[in-house]
């Protein structure tokens, strides 16, 4: 039974196509948007449209930006000889929130996943290798600790080592507040291997 009419249903349907938005969340968002003042709805619609038109990939690190270079790659205060490889712009933002990393990034936009038909040619590895022809002191691989993330890290490491570039992997281990009894063996082993002197 059609309760709301075509336009409300269409809005709910479009919102439910967004990742992480189920039918109930889409309905709640739709009603919120409908209740917003007209000028705020126009601003929201305009920002979505303009973002889609203007946002592109940074020509160096492949993150999203509306400029030729993202602010990190354009910064003269960053260490451009230290490159951290991440899976997506979300991980880049997470590291930036720490406020402690002074290097630059390279965003892969995925990981190698043969089961899903994603090979090395489907992520931004070619662009990474082109960057490494310039001076690079260290490449930090910060892919997730999933099977795919580990496979991607190993693949990159094997590609980079012949060039004589130092290649490191972020340490992984027990999260703060984690219970050792409930932690899996691989995580415990990583925590042990990545230990630091006190």
């Amino acid at each position: 039974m059609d309760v709301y009419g075509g336009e409300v249903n269409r809005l709910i349907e479009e919102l439910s196509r967004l990742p992480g938005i189920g039918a109930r969340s889409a309905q709640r968002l739709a009603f919120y948007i409908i209740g917003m003042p007209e000028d705020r709805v126009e601003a929201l619609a305009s920002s979505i449209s303009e973002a889609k038109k203007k946002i592109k990939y940074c020509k160096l690190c492949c993150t999203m930006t509306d400029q030729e270079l993202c602010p990190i790659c354009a910064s003269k205060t960053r260490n451009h000889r230290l490159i951290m490889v991440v899976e997506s712009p979300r991980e880049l933002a997470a590291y930036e929130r720490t406020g402690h990393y002074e290097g630059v990034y390279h965003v892969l936009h995925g990981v190698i996943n043969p089961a899903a038909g994603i090979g090395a040619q489907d992520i931004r590895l070619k662009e990474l290798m082109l960057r490494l022809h310039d001076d690079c002191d260290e490449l930090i691989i910060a892919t997730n600790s999933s099977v795919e993330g580990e496979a991607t890290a190993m693949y990159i490491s094997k590609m980079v080592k012949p060039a004589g570039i130092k290649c490191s992997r972020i340490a992984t281990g027990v999260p703060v507040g984690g219970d050792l009894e409930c932690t899996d063996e691989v995580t415990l082993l990583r925590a042990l291997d990545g230990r630091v002197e006190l």
Side-chain angles (χ1 to χ4, degrees):
M1 176 183 211
D2 185 3
V3 177
Y4 307 117
E7 289 305 314
V8 175
N9 287 334
R10 182 171 162 240
L11 179 57
I12 292 169
E13 183 180 320
E14 290 301 322
L15 290 169
S16 69
R17 293 179 189 199
L18 296 171
I21 305 293
R24 292 178 75 182
S25 293
Q27 184 180 31
R28 190 168 39 256
L29 286 170
F31 289 141
Y32 182 81
I33 291 168
I34 291 166
M36 287 169 53
E38 188 72 29
D39 61 328
R40 288 198 46 223
V41 173
E42 292 296 327
L44 175 62
S46 173
S47 68
I48 293 170
S49 179
E50 289 300 307
K52 182 64 180 163
K53 288 177 195 169
K54 293 180 179 176
I55 293 178
K56 55 192 170 214
Y57 294 123
C58 172
K59 77 172 193 173
L60 277 181
C61 75
C62 301
T63 195
M64 291 182 218
T65 184
D66 58 356
Q67 305 294 320
E68 188 173 342
L69 291 177
C70 72
I72 295 169
C73 287
S75 173
K76 300 208 184 317
T77 62
R78 302 299 285 242
N79 179 357
H80 289 264
R81 298 173 64 93
L82 179 63
I83 301 172
M84 181 186 292
V85 179
V86 294
E87 291 181 22
S88 76
R90 291 186 307 274
E91 283 86 13
L92 183 154
Y95 277 103
E96 279 301 290
R97 281 193 300 272
T98 69
H100 291 288
Y101 179 66
E102 298 296 327
V104 293
Y105 299 89
H106 187 82
V107 182
L108 294 174
H109 293 280
V111 287
I112 298 170
N113 185 351
I118 301 170
Q121 71 281 355
D122 298 314
I123 59 177
R124 305 279 177 162
L125 286 175
K126 181 177 69 173
E127 292 86 347
L128 174 62
M129 295 313 292
L130 289 172
R131 284 183 78 182
L132 297 180
H133 287 297
D134 296 331
D135 288 333
C136 176
D137 293 332
E138 182 179 357
L139 187 69
I140 303 168
I141 303 173
T143 54
N144 288 315
S145 293
S146 63
V147 172
E148 296 82 11
E150 292 295 330
T152 304
M154 291 301 294
Y155 187 90
I156 293 169
S157 175
K158 286 180 182 172
M159 286 176 53
V160 170
K161 282 194 178 173
I165 297 168
K166 179 181 176 185
C167 190
S168 61
R169 180 86 167 104
I170 59 166
T172 57
V174 181
V176 174
D179 187 348
L180 291 178
E181 184 180 346
C182 299
T183 304
D184 66 273
E185 292 81 11
V186 174
T187 302
L188 288 173
L189 182 60
R190 285 280 171 78
L192 185 61
D193 290 345
R195 68 189 184 278
V196 294
E197 187 176 340
L198 297 175

